[in-house]
């Protein structure tokens, strides 16, 4: 296996801003991949691993210092519905980490691999990750997530990304499970209107991470860019930890027409405000591609205290 970086991600965050990648799915689509499947990008772990590695590599070359694996929508249940047994599925979880690690090894600088642990609603593939409140107890959510986290942790990522979390019940479950495996984690909610997607106040949501020493950053992703600054400020105020922000482009998905609408509002001009609010782990989510990440990398290099680890555009 390709060796990991020489220092923990938490140490890099203490020195300055660290750059995440952008949306994996939009880069895969740009490469010509068909993601019209309930497994979404996770299908390519079995059917097109080279495409996933190529997408990761595009982000590394754009300047990303953290690569998020293609395991967001992966689950034993989802793989099982495609006739993939548990042993093979465990291998696919491990493959998601190794593909990112290989891409990281294409540049001579520190690049960390974050194993994506998406919410339960992502696996149901019905948009429930944007609603939360699944009708499941915290214990039931723990039972669902534990096998996924165990498989990913065994593959040796640098950090677990508990991401796109829509409500506090799922955050409780994920934090409890992730705490069993001795890896650093970040916790990132999807939000709208200054609340979680399930409608809970952000101060209450962020507070869940305050006493978890393994949590190295807290914040938001898969939200409008305009939400990120206030959320980062609140995350830092409540937890005393660095903030993580990686919003969407700002365009909106119209389910009826099957198309994105509106204008993109993501840009490097927002970086300074995010940093001032306490964000130290910064990148993009849906519809944010390598070009936008390269723009952030340029802006970060020009910001006071912005660069860390000698990162460049690769």
């Amino acid at each position: 296996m390709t060796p990991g970086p020489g220092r923990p991600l938490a140490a890099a965050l203490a020195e300055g801003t660290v750059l995440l990648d952008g949306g994996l799915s939009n880069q895969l689509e740009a490469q010509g991949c068909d993601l019209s499947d309930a497994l979404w990008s996770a299908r390519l772990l079995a059917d097109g691993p080279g495409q996933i590695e190529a997408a990761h590599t595009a982000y590394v070359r754009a300047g990303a210092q953290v690569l998020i694996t293609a395991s967001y929508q992966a689950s034993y249940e989802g793989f099982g519905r495609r006739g993939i047994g548990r042993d093979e599925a465990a291998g696919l979880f491990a493959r998601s980490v190794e593909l990112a690690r290989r891409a990281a090894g294409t540049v001579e600088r520190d690049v960390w691999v974050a194993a994506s642990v998406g919410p339960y609603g992502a696996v149901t593939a019905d948009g429930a990750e944007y609603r939360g409140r699944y009708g499941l107890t915290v214990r039931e959510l723990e039972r669902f997530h534990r096998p996924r986290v165990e498989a990913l942790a065994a593959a040796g990522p640098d950090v677990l990304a508990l991401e796109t979390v829509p409500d506090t019940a799922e955050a409780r479950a994920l934090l409890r499970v992730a705490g069993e495996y001795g890896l650093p984690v970040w916790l990132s909610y999807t939000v709208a209107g200054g609340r979680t997607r399930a409608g809970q106040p952000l101060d209450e949501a962020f507070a869940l991470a305050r006493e978890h020493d393994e949590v190295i950053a807290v914040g938001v992703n898969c939200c409008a860019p305009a939400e990120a600054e206030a959320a980062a400020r609140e995350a830092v105020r409540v937890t005393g930890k660095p903030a993580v922000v990686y919003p969407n482009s700002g365009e909106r998905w119209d389910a009826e027409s099957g198309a994105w609408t509106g204008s993109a509002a993501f840009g490097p001009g927002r970086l300074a405000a995010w940093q001032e609010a306490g964000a130290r782990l910064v990148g993009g989510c849906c519809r944010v591609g390598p070009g936008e990440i390269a723009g952030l990398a340029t802006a970060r290099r020009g910001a006071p205290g912005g660069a860390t680890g000698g990162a460049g555009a690769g």
Side-chain angles (χ1 to χ4, degrees), residues 104-117:
T106 62
V107 293
E108 294 184 1
R109 54 178 166 84
D110 283 343
V111 178
W112 292 267
V113 171
S116 173
V117 184

Side-chain angles (χ1 to χ4, degrees), residues 265-275 291-300:
F266 185 103
R270 294 183 179 270
L271 178 63
W274 293 344
Q275 290 175 310
E292 288 77 18
I293 297 305
L296 283 183
T298 298
R300 182 181 55 84

Side-chain angles (χ1 to χ4, degrees), residues 58-184:
Y59 281 116
V60 171
R61 290 175 178 169
Q65 297 168 273
V66 181
L67 297 175
I68 302 174
T69 64
S71 51
Y72 173 81
Q73 208 147 345
S75 69
Y76 284 102
E77 294 84 351
F79 285 135
R81 287 191 288 271
R82 291 182 63 88
I84 297 172
R86 290 188 72 84
D87 288 347
E88 185 180 354
L92 295 179
F93 279 110
R95 179 178 290 172
S96 73
V97 174
E98 177 58 20
L99 291 172
R101 191 73 79 191
R102 284 186 205 163
T106 62
V107 293
E108 294 184 1
R109 54 178 166 84
D110 283 343
V111 178
W112 292 267
V113 171
S116 173
V117 184
Y120 174 82
V123 175
T124 62
D126 61 358
E129 71 260 48
Y130 301 115
R131 300 189 300 270
R133 300 189 184 276
Y134 313 118
L136 301 177
T137 66
V138 172
R139 191 171 297 276
E140 287 171 330
L141 288 166
E142 287 178 31
R143 284 199 294 268
F144 169 76
H145 284 296
R146 186 168 285 108
R148 310 169 71 212
V149 174
E150 181 179 27
L152 288 166
D158 302 302
V159 60
L160 295 173
L162 313 180
E163 58 176 354
T164 325
V165 180
D167 67 25
T168 56
E170 187 151 34
R172 289 181 190 276
L174 284 166
L175 288 169
R176 288 179 186 175
V177 170
E180 298 170 3
Y181 295 94
L183 285 169

Side-chain angles (χ1 to χ4, degrees), residues 20 27 147 181 227 258 291 312:
L20 290 165
Q27 177 57 25
Y181 295 94
E227 298 264 3

